[in-house]
Amino acid sequence: MKHQIRTSLLAALVSATMCLALAGCSRRPAGESASSNGSAKNENAAAQSPSQASSSDQASASSSETPSAAASKSDSLANPEASKSEPLASPDARKSGPLASAAPQGERSPQTPPPPPPRTYTISAGRPISIYTTSTLSTKTNRAGDSFVGTLTSAIVDKDWVIARKGATVEGVVTSSDPGGKVKGVASLTVVVKRLQLADGRKVELSTSSFTHQAKTTMKKDAIKIGGGAVAGAVIGAIVGGKKGAAIGAGVGGGAGTGVVLATRGDPATIPSETPLTFRLRSPVTVVKR
């Protein structure tokens, strides 16, 4: 009896052990599949983690933006060309704004320096002005007030500035034209310079000393005329009345010669063309360079 009970318990134990073994075998593949499924899910999660991380970063950044920054960002996204065409202001530009450009009240803004004064040259008083006449001047043809023209004999320069060139036009005027008296005195002609042409074409007024030319005396010619008349009268008187007639004729002839001299003027005062004349300035002349 005991042996049967022991046998039945042993059989029950064996059957229970086999059942447990079968149950363990059936549960092991399911665990393995679960673990394989878990590893696949982990790989997918690892593949998706960068994008999810970036999206999460963007989400956190967007959540941390201020309303004004979010509004500007939305405007830039809505109009990308406008955002590209508007450059950012540099720090220097921001510093040079209205507040920065406002100068202190006690200081003045720098002004442009004035231009340098024009160059000038003064032809001093007493300086000689020499010219050549270009036409003949005579008491026989010219009267007081007549104008004449000459040329400058030498240039007037100041270092590298040519004020008046050699040969520049010089204008003058006859101030006196005296043909001389019939009894005494000789003819005389007086002239002065009035204007000078500069190298740039302008003309300046001049006040100069005068130049006077007198005719040569005619005493020798007068003596010849008187003596010739006396000789001619003596010859005629001798033919007519001998010695007494010669003496009378000489006196008459000499008187006639003297009358001719007294009735005739002397030679005119003449200044030929190309004659050098020198004048002196009476007052200074200042020339401004253009």
Side-chain angles (χ1 to χ4, degrees), residues 4 59 76-77 84 115 143 170 172 179 218 243 259:
Q4 290 179 352
S76 63
L77 293 175
K84 292 179 180 179
R143 298 293 179 265
V170 179
T218 59
K243 291 182 179 180

Side-chain angles (χ1 to χ4, degrees), residues 44-275:
N44 292 333
Q48 294 178 357
S49 60
S51 60
Q52 291 176 355
S54 62
S55 61
S56 63
D57 292 340
Q58 292 177 357
S60 62
S62 62
S63 63
S64 62
E65 290 179 349
T66 62
S68 60
S72 62
K73 184 175 181 180
S74 62
D75 292 339
S76 63
L77 293 175
N79 192 2
E81 296 296 331
S83 62
K84 292 179 180 179
S85 62
E86 295 178 357
L88 295 175
S90 63
D92 295 336
R94 290 195 296 269
K95 291 180 181 178
S96 60
L99 295 177
S101 61
Q105 295 180 356
E107 297 180 2
R108 293 183 178 179
S109 59
Q111 297 180 354
T112 303
R119 185 175 178 180
T120 60
Y121 178 77
T122 300
I123 307 174
S124 59
R127 175 169 179 156
I129 303 294
S130 299
I131 71 168
Y132 288 115
T133 58
T134 58
S135 60
T136 299
L137 303 175
S138 174
T139 55
K140 189 176 182 178
T141 57
N142 295 103
R143 298 293 179 265
D146 290 350
S147 61
F148 70 94
V149 176
T151 57
L152 196 64
T153 59
S154 59
I156 301 175
V157 298
D158 178 32
K159 297 179 182 179
D160 59 341
W161 177 20
V162 179
I163 299 166
R165 295 187 179 92
K166 179 181 179 180
T169 301
V170 179
E171 299 177 9
V173 65
V174 177
T175 59
S176 176
S177 178
D178 183 9
K182 295 180 180 180
V183 179
K184 61 181 180 178
V186 293
S188 63
L189 186 67
T190 304
V191 295
V192 295
V193 168
K194 287 293 186 181
R195 279 172 291 276
L196 170 65
Q197 186 176 25
L198 303 180
D200 58 7
R202 291 178 295 161
K203 292 182 179 180
V204 293
E205 298 290 329
L206 302 178
S207 176
T208 67
S209 62
S210 60
F211 178 88
T212 301
H213 175 70
Q214 289 184 340
K216 294 181 180 180
T217 60
T218 59
M219 293 179 62
K220 186 176 181 179
K221 291 181 180 180
D222 294 342
I224 292 173
K225 288 178 182 179
I226 295 172
V231 170
V235 171
I236 295 173
I239 295 172
V240 174
K243 291 182 179 180
K244 186 177 180 179
I248 295 171
V252 173
T258 302
V260 171
V261 170
L262 294 177
T264 305
R265 293 184 183 277
D267 292 340
T270 302
I271 301 175
S273 178
E274 299 298 325
T275 300

